[in-house]
Amino acid sequence: MLIDLLKNEITQEEYTRENNIRILYKKLPKKIYGFIHKYKDINLIIINWNISKTLKEKTIIHELAHFELHHLDKNFIEFNIENVEDEADRYIKFIFESIERR
């Protein structure tokens, strides 16, 4: 789970291997930090190579939240980009708050 990664109980490599996720760095438009996409049973996270290391790390966590929230399984007819982006951000915030309370 993402919480295990954020608590440093597992590595990013362990998390991605276990969940069949590959992270690729590509040139993307400036306003796009990254996205997640399923391709032939592989979960691909594409990260803009032209952003800071910190922003890359935050973007990867954000995209992993989409994965855990099963956003890749949503029907595009019911898909609302702002709702899923907000949900991913809230999920990450919830995890960090849970970790801080311990």
Side-chain angles (χ1 to χ4, degrees):
M1 289 189 66
L2 188 54
I3 192 167
D4 299 324
L5 175 63
L6 297 176
K7 288 169 47 181
N8 293 317
E9 294 177 354
I10 61 172
T11 66
Q12 182 174 296
E13 182 180 329
E14 290 170 319
Y15 183 94
T16 56
R17 186 176 4 148
E18 182 177 319
N19 292 292
N20 200 25
I21 297 170
R22 293 203 185 129
I23 300 173
L24 304 172
Y25 298 88
K26 300 286 181 183
K27 184 175 182 177
L28 298 173
K30 288 182 182 183
K31 302 248 182 204
I32 299 176
Y33 299 155
F35 61 92
I36 188 167
H37 174 70
K38 190 170 208 140
Y39 178 74
K40 295 184 179 182
D41 295 328
I42 300 170
N43 300 295
L44 296 172
I45 294 178
I46 311 299
I47 301 295
N48 191 336
W49 66 268
N50 201 28
I51 58 177
S52 71
K53 181 181 178 187
T54 301
L55 197 47
K56 285 176 185 164
E57 292 169 357
K58 288 180 180 181
T59 303
I60 290 169
I61 296 300
H62 177 88
E63 299 309 327
L64 293 175
H66 284 302
F67 172 78
E68 286 208 359
L69 293 167
H70 303 283
H71 288 165
L72 297 173
D73 301 333
K74 289 197 181 274
N75 182 333
F76 281 106
I77 293 171
E78 62 189 48
F79 189 80
N80 181 321
I81 191 75
E82 283 119 18
N83 287 347
V84 295
E85 295 302 326
D86 290 345
E87 185 178 22
D89 290 338
R90 286 192 308 271
Y91 182 61
I92 295 165
K93 182 179 177 186
F94 171 78
I95 291 173
F96 277 121
E97 288 173 350
S98 297
I99 292 170
E100 290 173 0
R101 281 182 279 203
R102 291 181 180 200

